[in-house]
Amino acid sequence: DGGITQSPKYLFRKEGQNVTLSCEQNLNHDAMYWYRQDPGQGLRLIYYSQIVNDFQKGDIAEGYSVSREKKESFPLTVTSAQKNPTAFYLCASSMWGERAFFGQGTRLTVV
Amino acid sequence: AQRVTQPEKLLSVFKGAPVELKCNYSYSGSPELFWYVQYSRQRLQLLLRHISRESIKGFTADLNKGETSFHLKKPFAQEEDSAMYYCALTGSNYKLTFGKGTLLTVNP
């Protein structure tokens, strides 16, 4: 799964600050996804994008924003409006109906 | 709305015993269904998908449209099968939805 890269692996931010998580893929996949993984909650979909310059809200989009200016990149911004931002964030990409490839994840801690 | 339900958070079996991880889904159209696995300290990876109808590491899963289920089965569990298993669904809208996962522990 080396084709999809998330950075950084660990991120610390002060409460009230916005923070942007990076996700890049070189698999030429159309679709990209952001998930939040919390213990006992599984993977909850934040945002997804089917194509450049288009994206859709997932199930827990409040307090998050994304952009898809390039096919390879799908950054996620965790805004100060997100009430409980400390979590493990996973990025994925796929072609429709095909297997999704996942990044290694970013663990965000807000203090 | 599409939804994936995995009723068991935890499942513990002994080595050599059969194992079944349950997955039920809700989707109005024709979904693509998957099982993903996450071994300790590794990335989430595909285990199998219903359309391929193959057996991976001894696991199989059959799509039952009448019962809207996609249960994962293995006749003889091995200790290396211990992992977190996620059932997932994607529909025509590209939305990829996961269940909450089942942590399988295979005891020696």
Side-chain angles (χ1 to χ4, degrees):
Chain A
D1 293 335
I4 182 163
T5 304
Q6 289 184 243
S7 61
K9 192 172 181 181
Y10 299 97
L11 191 54
F12 295 87
R13 278 295 181 268
K14 289 185 178 180
E15 193 172 337
Q17 290 182 335
N18 291 356
V19 60
T20 297
L21 283 60
S22 170
C23 179
E24 303 276 333
Q25 54 101 358
N26 62 4
L27 301 167
N28 201 34
H29 285 166
D30 291 328
M32 296 188 74
Y33 306 84
W34 273 106
Y35 295 90
R36 174 178 170 141
Q37 190 176 28
D38 296 288
Q41 296 292 323
L43 277 71
R44 292 184 291 170
L45 182 63
I46 304 172
Y47 269 98
Y48 64 105
S49 169
Q50 305 169 14
I51 196 171
V52 174
N53 292 323
D54 189 29
F55 47 82
Q56 309 295 327
K57 289 183 179 180
D59 301 314
I60 57 164
E62 186 175 349
Y64 299 98
S65 66
V66 293
S67 63
R68 187 87 186 274
E69 297 177 2
K70 298 186 298 182
K71 190 175 186 177
E72 310 79 48
S73 179
F74 191 42
L76 173 74
T77 297
V78 184
T79 75
S80 56
Q82 168 50 231
K83 295 177 182 176
N84 187 19
T86 294
F88 188 68
Y89 292 89
L90 275 172
C91 179
S93 70
S94 77
M95 298 299 285
W96 184 86
E98 300 294 323
R99 60 173 288 193
F101 288 78
F102 285 83
Q104 65 178 8
T106 293
R107 185 164 298 281
L108 172 65
T109 302
V110 175
V111 296
Chain B
Q2 62 190 67
R3 185 163 53 242
V4 177
T5 303
Q6 293 179 251
E8 304 135 332
K9 281 190 176 180
L10 303 170
L11 185 61
S12 182
V13 300
F14 285 102
K15 178 182 174 181
V19 62
E20 180 179 47
L21 287 79
K22 292 184 167 53
C23 172
N24 289 91
Y25 68 90
S26 173
Y27 185 70
S28 57
S30 295
E32 295 287 333
L33 285 151
F34 308 84
W35 276 99
Y36 285 84
V37 60
Q38 190 168 30
Y39 300 104
S40 180
R41 302 186 185 280
Q42 293 187 25
R43 297 190 190 196
L44 199 62
Q45 58 187 285
L46 179 72
L47 180 62
L48 53 81
R49 48 189 293 222
H50 91 270
I51 199 168
S52 60
R53 300 187 64 81
E54 57 191 342
S55 173
I56 304 293
K57 299 185 178 183
F59 285 97
T60 59
D62 289 319
L63 177 60
N64 186 323
K65 292 187 177 180
E67 296 182 358
T68 58
S69 68
F70 188 56
H71 303 327
L72 183 69
K73 300 177 184 179
K74 185 169 182 176
F76 307 103
Q78 303 299 315
E79 289 181 66
E80 55 266 30
D81 296 329
S82 296
M84 179 68 85
Y85 291 81
Y86 293 97
C87 184
L89 174 157
T90 189
S92 59
N93 58 1
Y94 274 80
K95 186 178 182 182
L96 179 58
T97 301
F98 285 79
K100 293 189 176 183
T102 297
L103 180 62
L104 174 65
T105 302
V106 181
N107 301 297

